[in-house]
Amino acid sequence: MRCAVTIFFCLACLLICSQAISRSSGTKPTVTDGGKPGVAPLSVLQTLGAGGAARSVSQAVTYPMDALRTISQTRKGAKKLSELGGGALVSGCVQTSLFAFPLGAVQFTVFGNVKKALSSIVGTASGGVKGTAVAIASASCASLASCAVGVPQEVLKQRLVTKIYPDFGTAVKTILKNEGLKGFYTGWAPTVARNLPYVVTTFTCFNHWKGQELKKTESTSLDQQTSLRFGMGAALIGCLVTQPMDVIKTRMMTQAASNLVPYSSAVNCAVDIVKTEGVTAFLAGLPPRAAYLSPLWGAQFLLNEKFTRLIGERNHKRAQLRPRG
């Protein structure tokens, strides 16, 4: 919990400072793109809204595949899909998808603002060592900050899917009663260990490809097809890199679904899996996870680009209507 509080505090300071830096760096108020409507910069709240909406919608659409991934990764002794029923694939979908709003909001806002802040210090670079370093640093900050809001929704989602709790309200009340607030951060360490390389890989790949594409086309935003393609490709690479940690994270969060002796730690979980099931167990749920994450992040990047463009165009129109002088 102390880690979560610290990250929330740092996040607030980071957003304020980075926004101040980006404003003081002389950001142009409007942008035009080959005859398209002008685009003005977004405020922090608008960026939060665009990223959050993109994540919520994308997660709701791809939720059944994530539920299937969770069920396939649970420990022996836990119920399988045939026992849980098809309803398990949408259990908690609405609530946890809404809960995913702050996750997407934090990820995109922190990434964008940290990137602006760092670029104002080291100079703008869309590629090369400098550009990649800026993207990695920005994605690292986004990953760590988003874990503060992402771990609780992941705990709730996975316990609802595995029928540890019958509904969202019961899940929240039971966790608070039996485990306290720290119960919502079960599996914090393996989640951070998975999310950090995943978000860094995904955002860095997408940012690199986007920079190269915009330079080639001399435009200010990606078209829908390219956004989707880059997002799905980046997510697939991140999925392959972090698969073992995803299995460990799922096992730690869904232990109550099995009647076996609980793992004492993430390390104990990893060692036990190797001893009792073999290293191939770390590949459990890879197909449904890839089928979930690739379209999830593809849609998320696509929608964020779309929402950001629409809000930017609206800001531009409002700026044009303001009396000058």
Side-chain angles (χ1 to χ4, degrees):
M1 280 301 297
R2 289 181 180 178
C3 291
V5 173
T6 301
I7 288 176
F8 273 125
F9 177 75
C10 293
L11 172 60
C13 295
L14 181 65
L15 291 176
I16 294 171
C17 293
S18 61
Q19 188 71 0
I21 291 174
S22 64
R23 286 177 177 175
S24 64
S25 62
T27 303
K28 295 181 181 180
T30 60
V31 178
T32 58
D33 183 11
K36 292 182 180 180
V39 178
L42 276 63
S43 67
V44 170
L45 287 178
Q46 289 175 329
T47 306
L48 286 167
R55 175 71 187 204
S56 290
V57 173
S58 301
Q59 181 160 316
V61 172
T62 57
Y63 190 89
M65 288 308 300
D66 187 35
L68 188 61
R69 184 265 308 178
T70 297
I71 293 170
S72 64
Q73 288 182 346
T74 50
R75 202 175 181 185
K76 290 182 179 178
K79 293 181 179 179
K80 300 302 179 184
L81 181 60
S82 57
E83 300 171 278
L84 294 169
L89 297 180
V90 292
S91 180
C93 176
V94 175
Q95 297 92 333
T96 55
S97 294
L98 290 174
F99 207 167
F101 184 96
L103 175 63
V106 168
Q107 283 179 337
F108 281 102
T109 303
V110 171
F111 179 82
N113 281 279
V114 172
K115 183 183 174 184
K116 286 181 183 178
L118 293 177
S119 295
S120 69
I121 297 172
V122 303
T124 303
S126 59
V129 176
K130 185 188 293 186
T132 301
V134 168
I136 290 175
S138 303
S140 297
C141 292
S143 174
L144 292 173
S146 64
C147 279
V149 293
V151 174
Q153 73 100 15
E154 190 74 6
V155 169
L156 289 167
K157 177 180 67 178
Q158 297 201 345
R159 293 188 182 184
L160 286 169
V161 166
T162 53
K163 297 296 184 182
I164 294 175
Y165 305 116
D167 55 68
F168 187 83
T170 301
V172 173
K173 291 177 183 177
T174 305
I175 292 174
L176 278 174
K177 180 180 178 181
N178 297 338
E179 305 173 58
L181 287 176
K182 67 178 182 180
F184 292 104
Y185 289 89
T186 300
W188 168 272
T191 302
V192 172
R194 179 205 65 171
N195 283 7
L196 184 58
Y198 180 82
V199 173
V200 168
T201 300
T202 305
F203 270 87
T204 301
C205 286
F206 183 86
N207 182 74
H208 176 73
W209 294 337
K210 177 181 177 180
Q212 295 301 309
E213 182 69 14
L214 295 183
K215 184 185 295 184
K216 183 174 68 175
T217 59
E218 297 183 346
S219 58
T220 59
S221 62
L222 299 175
D223 59 64
Q224 295 183 13
Q225 184 178 359
T226 304
S227 294
L228 184 62
R229 178 162 52 89
F230 286 175
M232 292 181 71
L236 187 58
I237 294 173
C239 177
L240 296 173
V241 170
T242 59
Q243 174 62 20
M245 287 309 305
D246 188 62
V247 173
I248 294 173
K249 183 230 27 152
T250 300
R251 293 289 183 91
M252 294 293 292
M253 288 183 174
T254 61
Q255 293 196 76
S258 173
N259 54 9
L260 298 178
V261 178
Y263 301 119
S264 60
S265 65
V267 174
N268 173 247
C269 175
V271 172
D272 184 77
I273 290 174
V274 173
K275 285 184 177 179
T276 62
E277 303 173 59
V279 292
T280 56
F282 289 113
L283 298 177
L286 179 57
R289 183 175 181 239
Y292 157 67
L293 285 176
S294 190
L296 167 70
W297 281 82
Q300 191 173 335
F301 278 116
L302 184 156
L303 290 175
N304 183 68
E305 290 281 321
K306 187 71 173 178
F307 294 156
T308 298
R309 177 93 195 182
L310 290 174
I311 296 172
E313 289 176 359
R314 188 186 65 174
N315 288 349
H316 173 68
K317 290 178 181 178
R318 286 182 175 180
Q320 294 295 99
L321 293 174
R322 289 175 190 160
R324 300 181 182 276

